Amino acid sequence: MKKLFPSLLQGCLLASVLLSAKIADAQLLARIRIKTGAYKCTDIPVSVTLSPAAIRAADSLQLTEVTKGQRKPVLYQVEGERLYWVPGKTSGPDTIRTFELYKQQTSYNSTSRLMQLEDSAGVLKLRQGRAPLLNYNYGMVYPPAGVDTVYRRSGFIHPVWSPDGQVITNIHPRDHWHHLGVWNPWTHTSFKGKETDFWNLHKKEGTVRFKGFISRTTGNIQCGFTALQDHIAFTGNKETVALNEEWSVHAYYSNNTERRIWDFSSLLSCADTSGIEMLQYRYGGGFGLRATAAWTAATSYVLTSEGKTRKDADSTRARWIKITGTDNGRQAGILILCHPDNFDYPQPLRVWPENSEKGEIMMNYSPTKMRSWQLDYGRSYALHYRVMVYAGDLTPQEAEEAWQAFAHPPVTDVSWTK
């Protein structure tokens, strides 16, 4: 643990300092209560909007949890007008927990930024301490030498690491050069009266390209980014931006060395007044994953919220899907949660059958698998997913609890002092 997560030890030392700090002379700003729903919550980020006085005191805040009259310090992060924290430990169903926010002369919140970004050579790495979580490739990535450069792409995630350091994604596999870790281009669309495919790059009809960062975030509770990506349609030598997309990816601090959580959102808006229609098709858009080649029908298994497996998950709807595989004797997996606000929820799945593609895994939450989706100019359309990457395995109950906490997060109630 010391080798992989030295910052956690630093956090523990910080907590010891905080526990000994006296707050008798501090100014109480707010009491915050959070209430869980009918399911347990573990390592779920929560946030509240700060008062003007708290915003002005952002550099000298102290957050504590009150339990049986005892106050325990809690790490937090201020982003704009909101206060973020991860309550830590498991909250049982219908549990109320109380927190107090103080203004002090000296803030005891860690300044080490436990959740970090590392930017190098077109890659933005998200980390907890020294442990890598995922890479966002904003620079252009080319296929292996000798392969048609039409398969070059930017704006995708790879690698994704498990908490114990395993790489669980794959890019440019020989069978599908255009598969890129975690990515979500739209496949069968109608743009300006022409069918346009942004997924299958060899068709030379379109692509997705990173345009720029809107924001980046680091701190004790979360790290991440919001990036602008363009869906670009090709007509001969002419390029036309058909769709603007904001990718928002944020990872959250966790005390659990076997679990990591990050949120993935796609905000779509038409770049052209003609709009665009996402035509009904068996895959495309949403959330796409090409798993490591080590995970095959013989070394992995799939389970959905509806009890479907690799044998029958394709073309079914699911609130969540989890994929667990073994690589060199080590087991890890990924759980993808679909938010109830998403288009055509619960969204249909594209899952390769176990007897195809050498048994390897490609899955896609495909919003338009069952019906088309018209996007009009001047409006925005959002898709939200949460990802839990884990070492070992998850039980179906743990997967369901994670989805419930995502779909029905703890309710917060804030009482500000005068």
PDB file of all heavy atoms in Angstrom, residues 151-173:
ATOM      1  N   TYR A 151      -6.949   5.879 -39.700  1.00  0.00           N
ATOM      2  CA  TYR A 151      -7.350   5.447 -38.367  1.00  0.00           C
ATOM      3  C   TYR A 151      -6.792   6.339 -37.251  1.00  0.00           C
ATOM      4  O   TYR A 151      -6.940   6.018 -36.075  1.00  0.00           O
ATOM      5  CB  TYR A 151      -6.914   3.999 -38.131  1.00  0.00           C
ATOM      6  CG  TYR A 151      -7.657   3.014 -39.005  1.00  0.00           C
ATOM      7  CD1 TYR A 151      -7.022   2.361 -40.047  1.00  0.00           C
ATOM      8  CD2 TYR A 151      -9.015   2.760 -38.789  1.00  0.00           C
ATOM      9  CE1 TYR A 151      -7.699   1.461 -40.855  1.00  0.00           C
ATOM     10  CE2 TYR A 151      -9.694   1.865 -39.596  1.00  0.00           C
ATOM     11  CZ  TYR A 151      -9.041   1.219 -40.630  1.00  0.00           C
ATOM     12  OH  TYR A 151      -9.729   0.336 -41.431  1.00  0.00           O
ATOM     13  N   ARG A 152      -6.164   7.432 -37.599  1.00  0.00           N
ATOM     14  CA  ARG A 152      -5.670   8.340 -36.568  1.00  0.00           C
ATOM     15  C   ARG A 152      -6.859   9.008 -35.866  1.00  0.00           C
ATOM     16  O   ARG A 152      -7.872   9.300 -36.491  1.00  0.00           O
ATOM     17  CB  ARG A 152      -4.722   9.384 -37.153  1.00  0.00           C
ATOM     18  CG  ARG A 152      -5.371  10.345 -38.146  1.00  0.00           C
ATOM     19  CD  ARG A 152      -4.323  11.198 -38.838  1.00  0.00           C
ATOM     20  NE  ARG A 152      -4.918  12.186 -39.734  1.00  0.00           N
ATOM     21  CZ  ARG A 152      -5.277  11.934 -40.984  1.00  0.00           C
ATOM     22  NH1 ARG A 152      -5.112  10.713 -41.490  1.00  0.00           N
ATOM     23  NH2 ARG A 152      -5.815  12.891 -41.739  1.00  0.00           N
ATOM     24  N   ARG A 153      -6.719   9.259 -34.579  1.00  0.00           N
ATOM     25  CA  ARG A 153      -7.821   9.853 -33.810  1.00  0.00           C
ATOM     26  C   ARG A 153      -7.277  10.557 -32.578  1.00  0.00           C
ATOM     27  O   ARG A 153      -6.218  10.221 -32.045  1.00  0.00           O
ATOM     28  CB  ARG A 153      -8.786   8.767 -33.320  1.00  0.00           C
ATOM     29  CG  ARG A 153     -10.095   8.575 -34.075  1.00  0.00           C
ATOM     30  CD  ARG A 153     -11.115   9.686 -33.841  1.00  0.00           C
ATOM     31  NE  ARG A 153     -11.334  10.007 -32.457  1.00  0.00           N
ATOM     32  CZ  ARG A 153     -12.357   9.584 -31.726  1.00  0.00           C
ATOM     33  NH1 ARG A 153     -13.255   8.767 -32.244  1.00  0.00           N
ATOM     34  NH2 ARG A 153     -12.497   9.981 -30.483  1.00  0.00           N
ATOM     35  N   SER A 154      -8.027  11.526 -32.106  1.00  0.00           N
ATOM     36  CA  SER A 154      -7.775  12.152 -30.806  1.00  0.00           C
ATOM     37  C   SER A 154      -9.097  12.168 -30.055  1.00  0.00           C
ATOM     38  O   SER A 154     -10.162  11.925 -30.623  1.00  0.00           O
ATOM     39  CB  SER A 154      -7.229  13.573 -30.981  1.00  0.00           C
ATOM     40  OG  SER A 154      -8.162  14.394 -31.682  1.00  0.00           O
ATOM     41  N   GLY A 155      -9.021  12.473 -28.749  1.00  0.00           N
ATOM     42  CA  GLY A 155     -10.242  12.577 -27.970  1.00  0.00           C
ATOM     43  C   GLY A 155     -10.815  11.253 -27.533  1.00  0.00           C
ATOM     44  O   GLY A 155     -11.987  10.960 -27.790  1.00  0.00           O
ATOM     45  N   PHE A 156     -10.008  10.438 -26.856  1.00  0.00           N
ATOM     46  CA  PHE A 156     -10.491   9.155 -26.327  1.00  0.00           C
ATOM     47  C   PHE A 156      -9.695   8.803 -25.080  1.00  0.00           C
ATOM     48  O   PHE A 156      -8.669   9.421 -24.782  1.00  0.00           O
ATOM     49  CB  PHE A 156     -10.381   8.041 -27.378  1.00  0.00           C
ATOM     50  CG  PHE A 156      -8.968   7.745 -27.822  1.00  0.00           C
ATOM     51  CD1 PHE A 156      -8.207   6.767 -27.192  1.00  0.00           C
ATOM     52  CD2 PHE A 156      -8.391   8.453 -28.866  1.00  0.00           C
ATOM     53  CE1 PHE A 156      -6.902   6.502 -27.587  1.00  0.00           C
ATOM     54  CE2 PHE A 156      -7.087   8.198 -29.276  1.00  0.00           C
ATOM     55  CZ  PHE A 156      -6.346   7.216 -28.637  1.00  0.00           C
ATOM     56  N   ILE A 157     -10.161   7.804 -24.345  1.00  0.00           N
ATOM     57  CA  ILE A 157      -9.530   7.380 -23.094  1.00  0.00           C
ATOM     58  C   ILE A 157      -8.834   6.043 -23.277  1.00  0.00           C
ATOM     59  O   ILE A 157      -9.434   5.074 -23.743  1.00  0.00           O
ATOM     60  CB  ILE A 157     -10.570   7.269 -21.965  1.00  0.00           C
ATOM     61  CG1 ILE A 157     -11.116   8.653 -21.602  1.00  0.00           C
ATOM     62  CG2 ILE A 157      -9.979   6.600 -20.728  1.00  0.00           C
ATOM     63  CD1 ILE A 157     -12.284   8.614 -20.646  1.00  0.00           C
ATOM     64  N   HIS A 158      -7.562   5.988 -22.943  1.00  0.00           N
ATOM     65  CA  HIS A 158      -6.764   4.757 -22.908  1.00  0.00           C
ATOM     66  C   HIS A 158      -5.365   5.128 -22.424  1.00  0.00           C
ATOM     67  O   HIS A 158      -4.808   6.128 -22.883  1.00  0.00           O
ATOM     68  CB  HIS A 158      -6.668   4.088 -24.278  1.00  0.00           C
ATOM     69  CG  HIS A 158      -5.716   2.914 -24.283  1.00  0.00           C
ATOM     70  ND1 HIS A 158      -6.060   1.670 -23.786  1.00  0.00           N
ATOM     71  CD2 HIS A 158      -4.421   2.814 -24.694  1.00  0.00           C
ATOM     72  CE1 HIS A 158      -5.034   0.851 -23.900  1.00  0.00           C
ATOM     73  NE2 HIS A 158      -4.020   1.513 -24.453  1.00  0.00           N
ATOM     74  N   PRO A 159      -4.790   4.353 -21.512  1.00  0.00           N
ATOM     75  CA  PRO A 159      -5.389   3.205 -20.832  1.00  0.00           C
ATOM     76  C   PRO A 159      -6.350   3.615 -19.713  1.00  0.00           C
ATOM     77  O   PRO A 159      -6.309   4.738 -19.222  1.00  0.00           O
ATOM     78  CB  PRO A 159      -4.168   2.486 -20.224  1.00  0.00           C
ATOM     79  CG  PRO A 159      -2.957   3.097 -20.826  1.00  0.00           C
ATOM     80  CD  PRO A 159      -3.353   4.494 -21.200  1.00  0.00           C
ATOM     81  N   VAL A 160      -7.172   2.649 -19.293  1.00  0.00           N
ATOM     82  CA  VAL A 160      -7.845   2.689 -18.003  1.00  0.00           C
ATOM     83  C   VAL A 160      -7.161   1.654 -17.136  1.00  0.00           C
ATOM     84  O   VAL A 160      -6.962   0.510 -17.569  1.00  0.00           O
ATOM     85  CB  VAL A 160      -9.344   2.369 -18.130  1.00  0.00           C
ATOM     86  CG1 VAL A 160      -9.976   2.223 -16.748  1.00  0.00           C
ATOM     87  CG2 VAL A 160     -10.048   3.444 -18.937  1.00  0.00           C
ATOM     88  N   TRP A 161      -6.760   2.059 -15.914  1.00  0.00           N
ATOM     89  CA  TRP A 161      -6.071   1.151 -15.002  1.00  0.00           C
ATOM     90  C   TRP A 161      -7.009   0.677 -13.899  1.00  0.00           C
ATOM     91  O   TRP A 161      -7.839   1.449 -13.395  1.00  0.00           O
ATOM     92  CB  TRP A 161      -4.875   1.840 -14.351  1.00  0.00           C
ATOM     93  CG  TRP A 161      -3.687   2.032 -15.220  1.00  0.00           C
ATOM     94  CD1 TRP A 161      -2.666   1.133 -15.422  1.00  0.00           C
ATOM     95  CD2 TRP A 161      -3.340   3.193 -15.984  1.00  0.00           C
ATOM     96  NE1 TRP A 161      -1.725   1.678 -16.276  1.00  0.00           N
ATOM     97  CE2 TRP A 161      -2.111   2.943 -16.638  1.00  0.00           C
ATOM     98  CE3 TRP A 161      -3.960   4.426 -16.179  1.00  0.00           C
ATOM     99  CZ2 TRP A 161      -1.498   3.876 -17.461  1.00  0.00           C
ATOM    100  CZ3 TRP A 161      -3.366   5.359 -17.010  1.00  0.00           C
ATOM    101  CH2 TRP A 161      -2.146   5.086 -17.644  1.00  0.00           C
ATOM    102  N   SER A 162      -6.854  -0.556 -13.492  1.00  0.00           N
ATOM    103  CA  SER A 162      -7.533  -1.049 -12.304  1.00  0.00           C
ATOM    104  C   SER A 162      -6.776  -0.546 -11.077  1.00  0.00           C
ATOM    105  O   SER A 162      -5.622  -0.099 -11.189  1.00  0.00           O
ATOM    106  CB  SER A 162      -7.579  -2.584 -12.306  1.00  0.00           C
ATOM    107  OG  SER A 162      -6.262  -3.105 -12.146  1.00  0.00           O
ATOM    108  N   PRO A 163      -7.377  -0.597  -9.884  1.00  0.00           N
ATOM    109  CA  PRO A 163      -6.685  -0.103  -8.688  1.00  0.00           C
ATOM    110  C   PRO A 163      -5.356  -0.791  -8.402  1.00  0.00           C
ATOM    111  O   PRO A 163      -4.482  -0.198  -7.769  1.00  0.00           O
ATOM    112  CB  PRO A 163      -7.696  -0.380  -7.565  1.00  0.00           C
ATOM    113  CG  PRO A 163      -9.020  -0.329  -8.251  1.00  0.00           C
ATOM    114  CD  PRO A 163      -8.786  -0.949  -9.591  1.00  0.00           C
ATOM    115  N   ASP A 164      -5.191  -2.028  -8.870  1.00  0.00           N
ATOM    116  CA  ASP A 164      -3.918  -2.716  -8.650  1.00  0.00           C
ATOM    117  C   ASP A 164      -2.987  -2.612  -9.852  1.00  0.00           C
ATOM    118  O   ASP A 164      -2.004  -3.344  -9.958  1.00  0.00           O
ATOM    119  CB  ASP A 164      -4.147  -4.175  -8.270  1.00  0.00           C
ATOM    120  CG  ASP A 164      -4.875  -4.965  -9.339  1.00  0.00           C
ATOM    121  OD1 ASP A 164      -5.357  -4.349 -10.310  1.00  0.00           O
ATOM    122  OD2 ASP A 164      -4.958  -6.196  -9.217  1.00  0.00           O
ATOM    123  N   GLY A 165      -3.282  -1.687 -10.769  1.00  0.00           N
ATOM    124  CA  GLY A 165      -2.334  -1.373 -11.831  1.00  0.00           C
ATOM    125  C   GLY A 165      -2.490  -2.123 -13.131  1.00  0.00           C
ATOM    126  O   GLY A 165      -1.647  -1.976 -14.033  1.00  0.00           O
ATOM    127  N   GLN A 166      -3.543  -2.897 -13.305  1.00  0.00           N
ATOM    128  CA  GLN A 166      -3.751  -3.606 -14.560  1.00  0.00           C
ATOM    129  C   GLN A 166      -4.361  -2.667 -15.607  1.00  0.00           C
ATOM    130  O   GLN A 166      -5.239  -1.872 -15.297  1.00  0.00           O
ATOM    131  CB  GLN A 166      -4.694  -4.791 -14.364  1.00  0.00           C
ATOM    132  CG  GLN A 166      -4.210  -5.845 -13.391  1.00  0.00           C
ATOM    133  CD  GLN A 166      -5.199  -6.983 -13.273  1.00  0.00           C
ATOM    134  OE1 GLN A 166      -5.533  -7.650 -14.251  1.00  0.00           O
ATOM    135  NE2 GLN A 166      -5.700  -7.214 -12.062  1.00  0.00           N
ATOM    136  N   VAL A 167      -3.908  -2.786 -16.852  1.00  0.00           N
ATOM    137  CA  VAL A 167      -4.515  -2.056 -17.965  1.00  0.00           C
ATOM    138  C   VAL A 167      -5.689  -2.883 -18.476  1.00  0.00           C
ATOM    139  O   VAL A 167      -5.526  -4.042 -18.870  1.00  0.00           O
ATOM    140  CB  VAL A 167      -3.502  -1.817 -19.097  1.00  0.00           C
ATOM    141  CG1 VAL A 167      -4.194  -1.228 -20.325  1.00  0.00           C
ATOM    142  CG2 VAL A 167      -2.391  -0.888 -18.623  1.00  0.00           C
ATOM    143  N   ILE A 168      -6.889  -2.284 -18.476  1.00  0.00           N
ATOM    144  CA  ILE A 168      -8.073  -3.072 -18.819  1.00  0.00           C
ATOM    145  C   ILE A 168      -8.724  -2.634 -20.129  1.00  0.00           C
ATOM    146  O   ILE A 168      -9.784  -3.155 -20.490  1.00  0.00           O
ATOM    147  CB  ILE A 168      -9.111  -3.030 -17.676  1.00  0.00           C
ATOM    148  CG1 ILE A 168      -9.661  -1.612 -17.483  1.00  0.00           C
ATOM    149  CG2 ILE A 168      -8.509  -3.541 -16.384  1.00  0.00           C
ATOM    150  CD1 ILE A 168     -10.844  -1.565 -16.524  1.00  0.00           C
ATOM    151  N   THR A 169      -8.090  -1.688 -20.859  1.00  0.00           N
ATOM    152  CA  THR A 169      -8.611  -1.273 -22.157  1.00  0.00           C
ATOM    153  C   THR A 169      -7.618  -1.616 -23.254  1.00  0.00           C
ATOM    154  O   THR A 169      -6.464  -1.962 -22.993  1.00  0.00           O
ATOM    155  CB  THR A 169      -8.913   0.236 -22.177  1.00  0.00           C
ATOM    156  OG1 THR A 169      -7.741   0.955 -21.727  1.00  0.00           O
ATOM    157  CG2 THR A 169     -10.093   0.575 -21.289  1.00  0.00           C
ATOM    158  N   ASN A 170      -8.057  -1.464 -24.497  1.00  0.00           N
ATOM    159  CA  ASN A 170      -7.234  -1.804 -25.655  1.00  0.00           C
ATOM    160  C   ASN A 170      -7.523  -0.804 -26.772  1.00  0.00           C
ATOM    161  O   ASN A 170      -8.647  -0.311 -26.887  1.00  0.00           O
ATOM    162  CB  ASN A 170      -7.568  -3.224 -26.125  1.00  0.00           C
ATOM    163  CG  ASN A 170      -6.594  -3.740 -27.179  1.00  0.00           C
ATOM    164  OD1 ASN A 170      -5.512  -3.188 -27.366  1.00  0.00           O
ATOM    165  ND2 ASN A 170      -6.971  -4.801 -27.857  1.00  0.00           N
ATOM    166  N   ILE A 171      -6.502  -0.483 -27.579  1.00  0.00           N
ATOM    167  CA  ILE A 171      -6.715   0.356 -28.761  1.00  0.00           C
ATOM    168  C   ILE A 171      -6.049  -0.288 -29.974  1.00  0.00           C
ATOM    169  O   ILE A 171      -5.119  -1.078 -29.860  1.00  0.00           O
ATOM    170  CB  ILE A 171      -6.175   1.794 -28.585  1.00  0.00           C
ATOM    171  CG1 ILE A 171      -4.647   1.804 -28.421  1.00  0.00           C
ATOM    172  CG2 ILE A 171      -6.847   2.485 -27.439  1.00  0.00           C
ATOM    173  CD1 ILE A 171      -4.048   3.203 -28.543  1.00  0.00           C
ATOM    174  N   HIS A 172      -6.572   0.082 -31.141  1.00  0.00           N
ATOM    175  CA  HIS A 172      -6.041  -0.379 -32.423  1.00  0.00           C
ATOM    176  C   HIS A 172      -5.837  -1.897 -32.477  1.00  0.00           C
ATOM    177  O   HIS A 172      -4.794  -2.370 -32.951  1.00  0.00           O
ATOM    178  CB  HIS A 172      -4.709   0.325 -32.738  1.00  0.00           C
ATOM    179  CG  HIS A 172      -4.842   1.783 -32.982  1.00  0.00           C
ATOM    180  ND1 HIS A 172      -3.897   2.699 -32.540  1.00  0.00           N
ATOM    181  CD2 HIS A 172      -5.801   2.520 -33.607  1.00  0.00           C
ATOM    182  CE1 HIS A 172      -4.268   3.909 -32.891  1.00  0.00           C
ATOM    183  NE2 HIS A 172      -5.424   3.836 -33.530  1.00  0.00           N
ATOM    184  N   PRO A 173      -6.808  -2.701 -32.034  1.00  0.00           N
ATOM    185  CA  PRO A 173      -6.685  -4.149 -32.219  1.00  0.00           C
ATOM    186  C   PRO A 173      -6.725  -4.478 -33.706  1.00  0.00           C
ATOM    187  O   PRO A 173      -7.384  -3.779 -34.490  1.00  0.00           O
ATOM    188  CB  PRO A 173      -7.910  -4.705 -31.481  1.00  0.00           C
ATOM    189  CG  PRO A 173      -8.891  -3.583 -31.475  1.00  0.00           C
ATOM    190  CD  PRO A 173      -8.083  -2.326 -31.391  1.00  0.00           C
TER     191      PRO A 173
END
